[in-house]
Amino acid sequence: MKEFLKMFFASVLAIAFVFFGGFMLIILFVGALSSMSAPEPVVKKGSVMVFDMDANIQDSPVSFTQEQLINEALGNVGPQNYALRDILRALDNAADDMRIKALYLRGSLKSSNYGSGFAALKEVREAILDFKEISGKPVIAHLVYPTDKDLYLASTADKIILNPEGLIMNVGMASEPIFFAGFFKKYGIGVQVTKAGEFKSAAESFVMEKMSAPAREQTEALLEDLWDEYVEALSERAEMSSAQFQSLVDQKGLLTAKDALEAGIVDELGFADSVIRTLKEVSDDESEKLEYNSASLSDYILASRETVSGDHIAIVYAEGTIVMGEGNVGQVGGTKLAREIRELRQDEKVKAIVLRVNSPGGSALASEEIQHEIRLANRKIPVVVSMGTVAASGGYWISTYADKIYAEPNTITGSIGVIGMFMNIKEIANRHGFTFDVVKTGKFADALSISRPKSLEEMAIIQREVDEVYSDFLRKVAEGRNQPLDKIEKIAEGRVWSGADALELGLVDELGGLEKAIAHAVKMADMTEGAPVKDYPKPTDFLEELMKNLTGSASIRQSNPAIEKFESVLGEISSIAKWNDPKGVYAILPYNMEAN
């Protein structure tokens, strides 16, 4: 019997090993194939370029990740990602491309890792308007259940066709943060906060049950600015005043297809066959088949991609929460980005840097690491900042010493303030039989432990450090922006501003998007118009990510299992990266803020 069991388990292990090994080989093989250069798609004459908006529009170049490959292998093809500059370049090229007869917008935008924000969409919207003006080619949109973001882009269309059963939920923008204070109190999780800045309210969700007066004041002002930008675009297309559009929104709320047609928000009601007929008409397709020549935006991007060599402008992307170290997907690793900038400033082919920021902030130490390299680079070559959807707190920290800062009117910026937040599990742990003891060689040796709350003396020490970081933040902004310190103190306090307000306050220099920032960098570098531009960091392919993950998984981390479990639970409650980083420069934006 003993020998039988040995043979049985040995066979099971062998089968499992073969299965897992075979699966990994398949993944590696498919990954290798995906890393090889695919043949360029062919764009036929008389094609309609199809912009499928079922995608996330991110600032940085798109990487092909392990998760995407596995999902595609399993048939779970989710929303794709577009890089903002790829879209802008494709629309610019398509305007002069005689093979492209029209532009077709369809689907509904997705948002991931700060993607598809209104500032980025404003750049895409302006690029579509330029496409129309330069080429005279029509833009057609087909919508079903459009969001405000879908309508914002579709408002550029010569004709918007809405599904007869479609609905438009166009009632305004709202911010509804979740407050955890009652939950934490009920379950015995302690939270202590230090901060510098009256409006620095990112931690309010963890210690309060509703918005503070300063948080409500700034949120109302910010939403009003964002909404005004949106209303202006939609009301102009519908040929009504902003007041009339607001009245329609407040009276109707939910717009049926007929309501939208009567209001002039859409031009026609129809299903796919109506859309195809329209596309055939605008592309001069006289065939009897109910089909049209098409070129997807993603294929067109691949077909028109250029290789850059020689002297060029470097676009460096800082997209995501700023963290120490290398960072993961959706994060800006301070060490990684600083290293990238250091290499660029030593590259004789790089004549200027455009720093594209789409970040709510994060670690002050990581932000300073990046800013230090930006300042060194700026001693040698021009540095221009282009702010995306959000460039707040640490995102502003890394921007402040640029030669020039561009932002869109609906960019979210400012938030010059500092927060330190600390959680402890003493009460909930004790309830479940966990206790802690400590041996230490100094009075404050266990000050950052999560097993107990901080003492008043410890919190005073931390507050002093937070105040010092805040003072340093203010000084750097004043110095970088060449403004009096007392002026910066008045507009700081952790308050967020729209790009339009930031321009009036002197926090940014000019309104405009990424292309405008690039043009200015070209001018500062004494290069000719249309100079080569290259993206950094370069996108990773599947094999690079896989090897990184395999290497990372081989390391062993020793820790207290009980505390590690509690930490993982707390980590799921909030997206704040580090509980015990007193220098954390967190974004002022309330969590779960959506424009809807």
Side-chain angles (χ1 to χ4, degrees):
M1 185 66 178
K2 184 177 180 181
E3 291 300 318
F4 169 76
L5 290 175
K6 286 173 63 178
M7 290 296 294
F8 173 75
F9 285 114
S11 299
V12 170
L13 287 172
I15 292 170
F17 179 79
V18 170
F19 175 79
F20 178 75
F23 179 74
M24 289 304 297
L25 283 174
I26 292 172
I27 293 296
L28 285 169
F29 177 70
V30 177
L33 289 179
S34 70
S35 299
M36 296 178 183
S37 56
E40 288 188 353
V42 176
V43 178
K44 297 179 180 179
K45 291 183 179 180
S47 292
V48 174
M49 189 163 77
V50 180
F51 184 170
D52 187 349
M53 297 191 298
D54 280 325
N56 174 57
I57 300 175
Q58 62 186 54
D59 283 4
S60 54
V62 177
S63 298
F64 189 64
T65 65
Q66 175 182 335
E67 181 181 4
Q68 286 176 287
L69 178 62
I70 294 175
N71 284 338
E72 289 186 14
L74 297 176
N76 300 325
V77 182
Q80 66 182 106
N81 290 305
Y82 291 122
L84 174 62
R85 204 165 72 85
D86 282 345
I87 297 176
L88 302 182
R89 188 167 53 238
L91 291 169
D92 184 52
N93 290 338
D96 297 322
D97 192 336
M98 300 305 294
R99 298 170 299 176
I100 301 297
K101 292 292 186 179
L103 176 64
Y104 172 37
L105 309 178
R106 70 181 185 194
S108 185
L109 289 158
K110 305 296 184 291
S111 181
S112 175
N113 293 331
Y114 305 102
S116 300
F118 272 105
L121 296 183
K122 180 175 175 59
E123 295 191 55
V124 176
R125 188 176 187 277
E126 290 174 349
I128 296 174
L129 291 173
D130 287 343
F131 167 86
K132 288 174 55 178
E133 182 179 350
I134 294 170
S135 68
K137 299 172 184 178
V139 177
I140 308 299
H142 184 219
L143 306 173
V144 181
Y145 295 116
T147 65
D148 47 5
K149 292 181 178 181
D150 303 333
L151 282 170
Y152 186 62
L153 281 192
S155 64
T156 59
D158 297 284
K159 179 183 284 189
I160 300 178
I161 302 173
L162 181 66
N163 186 296
E165 299 302 320
L167 294 172
I168 296 178
M169 188 69 176
N170 194 5
V171 295
M173 296 178 179
S175 171
E176 188 178 15
I178 299 175
F179 291 88
F180 300 105
F183 172 85
F184 288 151
K185 183 177 180 180
K186 179 178 181 180
Y187 289 98
I189 300 172
V191 184
Q192 294 168 288
V193 171
T194 59
K195 70 172 186 176
E198 181 185 7
F199 291 87
K200 196 70 175 179
S201 58
E204 286 186 359
S205 293
F206 301 91
V207 294
M208 299 178 67
E209 296 183 352
K210 63 179 182 179
M211 290 184 187
S212 66
R216 183 174 296 278
E217 177 187 340
Q218 69 172 350
T219 302
E220 287 176 349
L222 179 62
L223 288 183
E224 184 176 342
D225 284 350
L226 298 181
W227 178 243
D228 287 346
E229 166 76 20
Y230 174 78
V231 169
E232 182 180 353
L234 269 293
S235 59
E236 182 178 345
R237 195 206 181 271
E239 297 182 347
M240 63 175 71
S241 67
S242 296
Q244 288 174 320
F245 185 87
Q246 184 68 54
S247 177
L248 175 67
V249 166
D250 292 338
Q251 289 179 16
K252 292 278 188 179
L254 184 68
L255 298 180
T256 66
K258 290 182 180 179
D259 290 334
L261 182 63
E262 290 176 2
I265 294 176
V266 303
D267 304 292
E268 185 180 313
L269 304 183
F271 294 98
D273 57 324
S274 298
V275 177
I276 294 173
R277 290 189 184 93
T278 299
L279 294 175
K280 285 174 65 68
E281 180 182 338
V282 298
S283 60
D284 300 323
D285 187 339
E286 298 179 355
S287 66
E288 295 183 0
K289 291 185 177 180
L290 198 61
E291 60 185 22
Y292 63 98
N293 287 334
S294 65
S296 70
L297 175 61
S298 55
D299 280 351
Y300 192 80
I301 288 171
L302 288 175
S304 57
R305 188 159 286 172
E306 300 173 351
T307 301
V308 175
S309 61
D311 293 349
H312 62 276
I313 304 296
I315 304 181
V316 181
Y317 294 90
E319 186 166 29
T321 306
I322 300 173
V323 299
M324 290 295 297
E326 297 297 307
N328 296 313
V329 176
Q331 295 178 328
V332 180
T335 301
K336 181 179 180 180
L337 190 58
R339 181 174 61 246
E340 189 79 54
I341 297 168
R342 182 163 58 250
E343 291 173 356
L344 290 175
R345 69 178 168 84
Q346 298 178 88
D347 187 341
E348 295 300 325
K349 295 179 181 179
V350 176
K351 300 303 179 184
I353 291 175
V354 174
L355 179 65
R356 174 68 173 191
V357 182
N358 188 20
S359 171
S363 166
L365 188 56
S367 299
E368 177 60 18
E369 190 174 10
I370 296 167
Q371 187 199 77
H372 176 72
E373 287 297 334
I374 288 290
R375 296 175 71 180
L376 292 178
N378 203 11
R379 294 175 185 174
K380 182 180 178 183
I381 57 176
V383 176
V384 178
V385 163
S386 170
M387 291 182 168
T389 295
V390 55
S393 199
Y396 193 84
W397 186 304
I398 67 176
S399 303
T400 188
Y401 280 98
D403 291 298
K404 193 164 188 176
I405 300 177
Y406 285 87
E408 293 287 13
N410 48 11
T411 292
I412 300 166
T413 188
S415 191
I416 301 168
V418 185
I419 284 179
M421 187 168 76
F422 309 89
M423 304 188 90
N424 74 83
I425 59 171
K426 178 179 174 61
E427 186 176 341
I428 188 174
N430 290 168
R431 288 180 190 174
H432 291 82
F434 293 98
T435 56
F436 305 90
D437 203 350
V438 64
V439 175
K440 55 185 179 180
T441 59
K443 183 177 181 181
F444 303 114
D446 64 337
L448 296 183
S449 170
I450 66 168
S451 65
R452 64 170 179 81
K454 309 289 177 285
S455 67
L456 292 177
E457 187 177 8
E458 288 168 339
M459 289 300 291
I461 292 172
I462 295 168
Q463 182 64 57
R464 185 168 65 246
E465 175 66 9
V466 166
D467 291 339
E468 287 180 5
V469 175
Y470 181 54
S471 295
D472 193 36
F473 198 170
L474 292 172
R475 179 184 60 78
K476 289 177 182 295
V477 173
E479 184 177 274
R481 301 301 300 151
N482 194 26
Q483 300 276 359
L485 180 61
D486 59 348
K487 177 183 176 181
I488 299 301
E489 289 174 339
K490 292 176 182 177
I491 61 177
E493 291 290 341
R495 178 159 184 165
V496 292
W497 305 96
S498 68
D501 286 340
L503 177 64
E504 293 183 7
L505 297 170
L507 292 176
V508 306
D509 299 297
E510 193 169 332
L511 297 182
L514 181 56
E515 294 301 312
K516 199 168 183 179
I518 293 171
H520 185 74
V522 168
K523 184 178 179 181
M524 290 191 70
D526 292 325
M527 299 178 75
T528 58
E529 186 177 348
V533 177
K534 193 172 182 179
D535 295 325
Y536 296 91
K538 69 175 185 177
T540 58
D541 60 26
F542 165 78
L543 287 181
E544 289 175 331
E545 186 185 347
L546 179 61
M547 293 308 297
K548 177 183 176 183
N549 289 345
L550 289 177
T551 303
S553 63
S555 63
I556 299 176
R557 175 176 173 262
Q558 293 184 348
S559 62
N560 184 314
I563 292 181
E564 186 177 86
K565 178 61 178 175
F566 277 113
E567 285 179 329
S568 68
V569 172
L570 294 177
E572 294 174 2
I573 294 174
S574 168
S575 61
I576 289 185
K578 292 185 179 181
W579 305 115
N580 297 317
D581 180 3
K583 295 186 179 181
V585 186
Y586 296 109
I588 195 74
L589 287 182
Y591 296 98
N592 300 320
M593 178 174 182
E594 296 288 343
N596 53 36

